[in-house]
Amino acid sequence: MITIGQLAGYVGVSVKTVRVYHDKGLLPEPDRDASGYRRYGANDVIDLIKIRTLAEAGVPLARIRDLRSAGDEEFQQALREIDDGLTDRIRGLRATQGRLRRLAAGDLAPLPAEVGAHLADLARWGFTPRWVDLQRDLWILVFATHPDRAIALFHDQAEILADPALRQLFLDYDHAYDLDADDPRIDDLARRAAEATRERYGPDELPGLDAASEIPALIQGTVNASSPAWRRLDTLIRAQLDV
């Protein structure tokens, strides 16, 4: 028979933790000796190891208490579910570890090589560094939050910019940044942008992410906040496309 301190030391927990498990009904109170001290046996050590293992796996104490009285089949099923949950957590932690390592290496934009090449093309075609940075940030967000659709959306934009006429439309949008919001060129550019969008996609199939995504609003909000001209452009284009 061993004391509570010895029990705690063998299993690797504190005496306070053992007492908490007693209070929560996870570990039955043992008999006391003539001096009034708790005395524990081998079965108590085994039970405490089980409790500690489940607690370290993230199982709530109330759930552990229920499992202590579960039948063997229910207990084994619960262990399988806990193991599956741990597998998911490990996968998530490894992904986080990978991002931390990329951060430490200065790789803050984990984008496909073709996106990097596209950004280089934007600079070569005459887009401002501001526009290139905006596009880079956009694709980082889209690839991070919508990996299943990101590459298709990227290919769609790359195809648009391969057309010299449409590329000029985007260049005009980029260079409208410093225009006065009431400049008549804003109205003409909005009309041309809306017409080009309808011609490419039709009135009912505009490209974009799912309705629940906050990314488009986040990007457009950032764009609009940086330039009154761009803010008015967005308003006019949306009005003409009725979106």
Side-chain angles (χ1 to χ4, degrees), residues 25-203:
L26 279 72
L27 186 68
E29 287 270 6
D31 294 331
R32 295 175 182 262
D33 62 15
S35 301
Y37 294 105
R38 299 182 181 92
R39 294 297 178 178
Y40 299 85
N43 286 337
D44 296 309
V45 175
I46 293 171
D47 286 344
L48 185 55
I49 290 173
K50 290 179 180 178
I51 295 168
R52 186 201 66 181
T53 302
L54 291 170
E56 288 177 343
V59 181
L61 295 185
R63 176 60 172 153
I64 295 175
R65 185 178 59 244
D66 294 340
L67 289 175
R68 299 279 291 122
S69 59
D72 184 65
E73 183 176 346
E74 181 184 353
F75 185 71
Q76 292 299 323
Q77 176 61 32
L79 290 182
R80 286 191 290 271
E81 293 173 357
I82 294 167
D83 185 79
D84 289 342
L86 282 174
T87 299
D88 291 340
R89 285 166 57 190
I90 290 169
R91 186 181 298 114
L93 287 171
R94 284 176 174 165
T96 300
Q97 183 183 53
R99 289 194 292 272
L100 283 172
R101 288 175 176 174
R102 289 195 297 271
L103 179 62
D107 182 8
L108 303 182
L111 291 170
E114 60 183 313
V115 179
H118 173 74
L119 295 174
D121 285 339
L122 292 180
R124 181 170 55 82
W125 288 331
F127 286 92
T128 63
R130 176 190 56 242
W131 183 271
V132 176
D133 288 345
L134 179 65
Q135 293 299 306
R136 182 202 61 221
D137 292 347
L138 166 66
W139 291 119
I140 288 173
L141 285 170
V142 173
F143 274 90
T145 58
H146 296 77
D148 56 328
R149 296 194 56 201
I151 198 66
L153 290 168
F154 167 72
H155 286 159
D156 181 67
Q157 187 184 85
E159 183 179 318
I160 290 173
L161 292 176
D163 182 321
L166 294 177
R167 186 192 311 149
Q168 185 59 53
L169 185 60
F170 277 86
L171 280 165
D172 291 345
Y173 197 118
D174 176 17
H175 296 145
Y177 180 89
D178 293 317
L179 292 178
D180 186 89
D182 295 325
D183 192 303
R185 286 173 289 183
I186 298 294
D187 298 84
D188 180 63
L189 180 55
R191 176 188 56 76
R192 289 161 51 209
E195 288 177 354
T197 301
R198 282 194 296 267
E199 182 177 346
R200 180 171 178 81
Y201 301 106

